[in-house]
Amino acid sequence: MTLRLISRRIPPSHRFYSNPPPPSKLRNIGVIAHVDAGKTTVTERLLYLAGAIQNAGSVDKGNTVTDFLDIERERGITVQSAAVNFDWAGHHINLIDTPGHVDFRVEVERCVRVLDGIVVVIDGSAGVQPQTLTVWDQSSKFKLPAHFFINKLDKKEANFERSVDSIQQKLGVQAVKLVIPVDKIGILDVLNSQFLDFNKKEWSNLKENEKIQEILQEARSDLCYNLAEFSPKFMKIFLDENEGNVQKIEQELILRTLRELTIGSKIATVSCGSAIRNLNCVKPILDSVVHFFPSPDQRNTEFRRIFEKDLAGLVFKITHDKRRGQLSYIRIYTGRLQNNSTIFNASQMTSEGPLKVFTPYADELKSVDHVEEGGIAVVAGLENTVTGDTVVQSAASADKAFETLKSLSHPIDLLQCKTSNEGRSVVFSGIESPDAVFFCCIEPPSNRQLQQFNRALEELTREDPSMKIRYDRDTGQTIVETQGELHLEAIKDRLKRNYKLDVFIGQLQVAYREMLTEELSHTAKVEDAMSEKKRPEFVQLTMRIEPTKGHVPFKKIDLELPQSAKPIRLDWQKAINEGCSNALQNGPLASYPVHAVRVVVTECIVSGGKINPALLSACAQKCVSESLQRGEMLLAEPVMSVQIDVRSDDSTQPILNELIRRRAQFEAQSSSEYRRISAILPLSETENLSKTVRTLTSGFGDISVQFRGYQQVGDHELNNILQRRTAGF
């Protein structure tokens, strides 16, 4: 499917909106779910109902709006987030469709960071699945209001009540049912007293004498009792003043209470249906977003207190365009982003511009004069900006915001003060990127394309913070670190399609990590022997290296200098950081990256005020490397949470035996309609596991694998790894 066909399917007048409504009429939402729960299909139905597209696309046919990459259409899976917008009931909705596969969880992380509410799609035949838990944990950090859509109710194994129960038990959220299924024939809208037959196109109003009225009254009563449990005000009116009579409760009171409780994250609303069988079943999702989700101005009151009417935004995504160069996706929290303006990067303390400002619709962009508070903008012209940077109006507004935040008696979530030799500012909390768990060597097709190859890798790592590039000093190879096999396939596909580089990729290997077990202190000195000066330049650094609790990669040094010492200039700190990073890329045990360490500079002696930064970098690298050589190190391996569901009448013993052979640690087993086996398994033991499970269960088994963390490698396995490493595997 070409882009021209998409353009014919989406009228230009519906793709973009020249006069967006005020922030109170704006909603920023995301659709998240476990892989294959039906996110993209639901998104397509929402766009169709809102009139943004003329025909609802299909994942199987590869003609959906948000899956616009070739690899997405060919494989029927979302690998990157896509932003679209549409109108519904007088409101303007910015929607981001996110990937569901575990390999692309950084896409979910950076998108939920800038949203005001989420729609969670649940497979009605499976309930809450492992990746559902992962994306829910990512979004719950930001206290996002949620609406759950129980999808695929047309499947034989679908069970609505069990799915709702799994939401409450596994996610710990009170689910309030606004739409319920009636047998297998359709769904009932409890709020609006309407019924949708799966075999008919439109919702219909209920007649008074219909049998379904009894189901409606019972569901409406359950709804009111649920609201009374969490709202004392509603309880007083419902139980005390009206003695629990549902008929006397006004619709407006129910809607208002639902909105208050949803925005406060005390409840989550629930609807259901089968998006692929009847597209009108997603209409309650749109109604819930408009009626119960907050507008940006409701969630941004604290931010406006700090920045007032000045521009403040967060760069949450980077892409590259052949014609426009680097494109930065920015969520505007306060103020206005003006076309052709210059902005101040508060994270890097630099100004950039002039900018070209656009609004996005999937892979299309429209140039606009400005983007207001609450909106999402795409900007060309920010060449040095990276994901997670904060942009503000000017250096003066950054300093003013710093003074305001410092004067408050309490901290504000997601805002931090930043000071440096270049000034003061306030920055939004950044976007966390997960550790890579696989790695392999990557080489250009020929030396003639080396420059193009390096530029492509640099651009891709800017776009995707979960992809890492490093240089192995033992083998002389370029190493790419990824989240998994599918992630690597997507990288290779983009290099081939976008950069015309048919790269060579080696065998995928597990990304082990070396860990320090004790605190070390070391001093190193480096001289410039080639200097033509009478007195050669030298640098002497004393550093303390200590292990940290979390498996977090090194980012920058900490300073604990004597009070009499001169402060270390920022450009010198940058050089020292670079040297430390280089040293930590290859640990002393087996040349794997060293993680979970803190590097503290306690002394810095230089020969003069004008020192070559390369000397500082070399000295830092020498100091860290020599220190690690003296220390006691251990090897850690990534481990995965494995969840396997088999039919209740199938034996689980063959699967248990297979997992034991693969060094599994069992967590729990549960019996219901399906038997569920939960275990922790080293990543190195997951090869061909899915294929083996399908074979052992005759194709009826379902397996989910999620990254869990790291554990120490045992002595026997460590010896095997070191032997393979010595043999140059």
Side-chain angles (χ1 to χ4, degrees):
M1 178 66 68
T2 64
L3 294 181
R4 284 196 304 277
L5 288 176
I6 295 176
S7 296
R8 284 203 299 270
R9 192 160 54 81
I10 310 169
S13 60
H14 288 161
R15 284 200 296 271
F16 301 102
Y17 299 83
S18 55
N19 296 308
S24 62
K25 295 290 185 180
L26 190 60
R27 300 289 185 270
N28 290 311
I29 68 168
V31 183
I32 63 175
H34 184 90
V35 65
D36 287 336
K39 286 182 324 320
T40 303
T41 300
V42 168
T43 301
E44 200 74 9
R45 271 58 181 159
L46 296 175
L47 292 173
Y48 175 78
L49 281 185
I53 57 177
Q54 292 177 324
N55 298 292
S58 166
V59 173
D60 294 334
K61 293 179 181 178
N63 61 350
T64 59
V65 175
T66 51
D67 282 354
F68 53 80
L69 294 180
D70 291 324
I71 189 174
E72 293 177 315
R73 293 186 172 172
E74 290 166 1
R75 300 192 57 142
I77 187 170
T78 305
V79 303
Q80 74 169 23
S81 57
V84 291
N85 54 68
F86 52 87
D87 280 351
W88 183 259
H91 290 70
H92 187 67
I93 299 175
N94 290 319
L95 181 148
I96 297 179
D97 179 31
T98 64
H101 198 281
V102 62
D103 284 13
F104 307 105
R105 63 187 184 274
V106 71
E107 285 285 331
V108 180
E109 177 76 27
R110 60 186 178 184
C111 289
V112 296
R113 173 66 181 80
V114 298
L115 298 175
D116 298 320
I118 52 170
V119 174
V120 187
V121 180
I122 304 288
D123 184 337
S125 65
V128 171
Q129 295 170 277
Q131 184 63 7
T132 318
L133 283 163
T134 301
V135 296
W136 178 258
D137 288 342
Q138 288 175 299
S139 61
S140 60
K141 290 186 295 186
F142 308 110
K143 302 175 183 176
L144 294 179
H147 176 87
F148 287 86
F149 178 72
I150 313 296
N151 194 24
K152 301 188 178 184
L153 288 186
D154 57 324
K155 292 176 70 172
K156 182 182 178 181
E157 306 86 2
N159 188 312
F160 174 74
E161 292 298 336
R162 193 173 66 215
S163 296
V164 172
D165 185 62
S166 71
I167 291 172
Q168 299 188 150
Q169 297 300 322
K170 293 185 178 181
L171 304 183
V173 60
Q174 181 63 39
V176 175
K177 294 173 278 191
L178 304 185
V179 179
I180 60 173
V182 179
D183 299 324
K184 289 283 185 178
I185 60 172
I187 53 177
L188 177 63
D189 186 335
V190 179
L191 279 179
N192 299 307
S193 304
Q194 290 186 321
F195 180 74
L196 177 67
D197 189 319
F198 282 147
N199 297 317
K200 296 181 180 179
K201 290 185 177 180
E202 301 294 336
W203 289 84
S204 60
N205 294 320
L206 294 181
K207 297 176 183 177
E208 291 186 9
N209 58 353
E210 282 190 82
K211 292 182 180 179
I212 205 171
Q213 280 285 354
E214 294 180 13
I215 300 174
L216 173 65
Q217 292 307 314
E218 184 180 349
R220 202 169 174 87
S221 177
D222 288 344
L223 171 62
C224 287
Y225 276 105
N226 271 326
L227 296 182
E229 184 179 349
F230 292 93
S231 172
K233 190 189 301 181
F234 186 87
M235 178 188 286
K236 182 179 179 181
I237 297 173
F238 176 53
L239 296 178
D240 296 345
E241 297 178 11
N242 293 286
E243 299 178 343
N245 190 336
V246 178
Q247 307 289 343
K248 295 181 180 180
I249 302 300
E250 295 181 359
Q251 178 84 341
E252 181 59 35
L253 174 62
I254 294 177
L255 293 176
R256 189 167 62 248
T257 306
L258 278 168
R259 180 175 175 81
E260 290 173 358
L261 294 177
T262 303
I263 290 176
S265 295
K266 294 180 179 179
I267 64 167
T269 52
V270 177
S271 64
C272 61
S274 171
I276 201 163
R277 184 173 173 185
N278 191 310
L279 55 84
N280 271 289
C281 66
V282 303
K283 178 178 174 291
I285 298 177
L286 292 170
D287 292 336
S288 293
V289 166
V290 166
H291 293 307
F292 309 135
F293 278 17
S295 57
D297 56 343
Q298 283 183 287
R299 282 181 61 86
N300 296 347
T301 52
E302 293 280 28
F303 297 159
R304 282 204 304 277
R305 186 177 178 185
I306 302 302
F307 296 103
E308 298 178 351
K309 294 184 178 180
D310 291 333
L311 168 70
L314 176 68
V315 178
F316 67 95
K317 179 172 175 164
I318 300 287
T319 62
H320 286 86
D321 182 83
K322 290 180 181 178
R323 187 161 55 89
R324 300 185 179 103
Q326 178 172 306
L327 297 174
S328 305
Y329 284 69
I330 304 176
R331 165 68 195 270
I332 310 300
Y333 285 104
T334 61
R336 169 189 286 188
L337 181 61
Q338 196 81 33
N339 193 38
N340 292 321
S341 64
T342 298
I343 58 91
F344 184 74
N345 186 321
S347 302
Q348 300 186 27
M349 305 299 286
T350 57
S351 295
E352 289 195 86
L355 312 176
K356 293 294 181 185
V357 180
F358 307 89
T359 53
Y361 191 101
D363 57 341
E364 300 181 54
L365 300 175
K366 181 191 176 185
S367 179
V368 292
D369 291 333
H370 61 269
V371 175
E372 295 283 356
E373 170 189 341
I376 293 174
V378 179
V379 172
L382 298 177
E383 300 302 327
N384 299 316
T385 298
V386 297
T387 299
D389 279 357
T390 299
V391 296
V392 296
Q393 194 86 34
S394 63
S397 68
D399 190 78
K400 186 172 117 180
F402 179 92
E403 287 288 347
T404 306
L405 184 58
K406 272 291 188 183
S407 67
L408 298 182
S409 57
H410 64 282
I412 294 180
D413 289 343
L414 305 179
L415 285 182
Q416 300 172 349
C417 286
K418 176 182 173 68
T419 58
S420 70
N421 293 342
E422 298 171 345
R424 308 180 301 176
S425 64
V426 173
V427 296
F428 293 102
S429 297
I431 296 165
E432 296 179 10
S433 178
D435 282 349
V437 292
F438 284 104
F439 75 93
C440 63
C441 64
I442 183 169
E443 296 177 5
S446 65
N447 288 332
R448 186 166 44 84
Q449 294 175 288
L450 183 59
Q451 186 176 353
Q452 183 185 356
F453 171 75
N454 289 332
R455 180 178 65 85
L457 291 182
E458 183 185 352
E459 289 185 357
L460 288 182
T461 51
R462 271 179 167 266
E463 294 183 16
D464 183 358
S466 66
M467 168 189 170
K468 304 289 192 301
I469 298 293
R470 61 182 173 89
Y471 184 76
D472 192 314
R473 68 186 180 199
D474 292 339
T475 63
Q477 293 175 316
T478 300
I479 303 297
V480 57
E481 298 185 349
T482 72
Q483 300 299 308
E485 188 176 356
L486 184 59
H487 189 201
L488 181 63
E489 282 185 36
I491 293 168
K492 185 177 181 180
D493 184 82
R494 292 201 59 194
L495 286 169
K496 188 172 183 178
R497 294 185 199 266
N498 297 2
Y499 298 95
K500 311 302 180 191
L501 292 169
D502 192 6
V503 297
F504 167 78
I505 289 183
Q507 182 182 356
L508 204 61
Q509 299 172 30
V510 174
Y512 295 96
R513 295 286 184 257
E514 297 190 24
M515 313 275 292
L516 184 67
T517 62
E518 57 183 334
E519 184 178 302
L520 302 168
S521 186
H522 186 65
T523 301
K525 184 176 181 180
V526 171
E527 290 188 1
D528 185 2
M530 304 299 291
S531 175
E532 297 179 358
K533 297 180 180 179
K534 292 181 180 180
R535 295 178 61 187
E537 294 182 345
F538 73 87
V539 173
Q540 180 176 305
L541 291 172
T542 301
M543 293 182 172
R544 186 175 75 248
I545 304 175
E546 52 193 49
T548 60
K549 292 182 179 179
H551 286 264
V552 181
F554 168 81
K555 292 182 180 178
K556 63 178 183 178
I557 57 170
D558 291 321
L559 301 176
E560 290 184 9
L561 301 172
Q563 290 185 347
S564 58
K566 292 182 179 179
I568 302 177
R569 290 166 26 185
L570 284 178
D571 57 332
W572 290 7
Q573 290 184 37
K574 185 177 180 181
I576 295 172
N577 283 330
E578 185 178 330
C580 293
S581 296
N582 291 337
L584 295 171
Q585 288 293 337
N586 302 93
L589 197 59
S591 291
Y592 288 110
V594 179
H595 264 215
V597 293
R598 177 174 177 249
V599 181
V600 183
V601 178
T602 57
E603 185 181 52
C604 177
I605 301 173
V606 296
S607 56
K610 292 184 179 181
I611 199 78
N612 186 350
L615 274 183
L616 286 156
S617 182
C619 187
Q621 185 168 346
K622 180 183 179 184
C623 187
V624 172
S625 296
E626 291 178 350
S627 184
L628 293 175
Q629 291 286 351
R630 293 171 42 231
E632 183 178 338
M633 307 292 292
L634 61 83
L635 196 66
E637 64 180 337
V639 293
M640 313 300 283
S641 288
V642 178
Q643 183 175 292
I644 301 173
D645 290 333
V646 299
R647 293 182 303 182
S648 57
D649 54 347
D650 288 345
S651 173
T652 59
Q653 196 58 48
I655 296 176
L656 295 175
N657 292 339
E658 179 66 25
L659 292 176
I660 291 170
R661 188 180 69 80
R662 294 173 181 255
R663 298 192 286 136
Q665 301 172 35
F666 294 99
E667 290 190 303
Q669 293 187 54
S670 60
S671 297
S672 57
E673 186 176 334
Y674 277 80
R675 289 186 181 179
R676 176 164 291 174
I677 301 169
S678 298
I680 299 174
L681 195 67
L683 178 63
S684 58
E685 301 286 355
T686 59
E687 186 178 359
N688 294 324
L689 180 61
S690 297
K691 184 178 179 181
T692 303
V693 168
R694 284 195 297 270
T695 301
L696 293 174
T697 60
S698 302
F700 291 102
D702 182 44
I703 180 170
S704 296
V705 181
Q706 299 288 314
F707 176 70
R708 176 67 173 261
Y710 289 88
Q711 69 179 16
Q712 184 176 350
V713 174
D715 292 339
H716 176 71
E717 187 63 23
L718 175 61
N719 290 332
N720 290 337
I721 293 170
L722 293 177
Q723 286 175 10
R724 294 199 303 269
R725 196 71 168 158
T726 304
F729 74 105

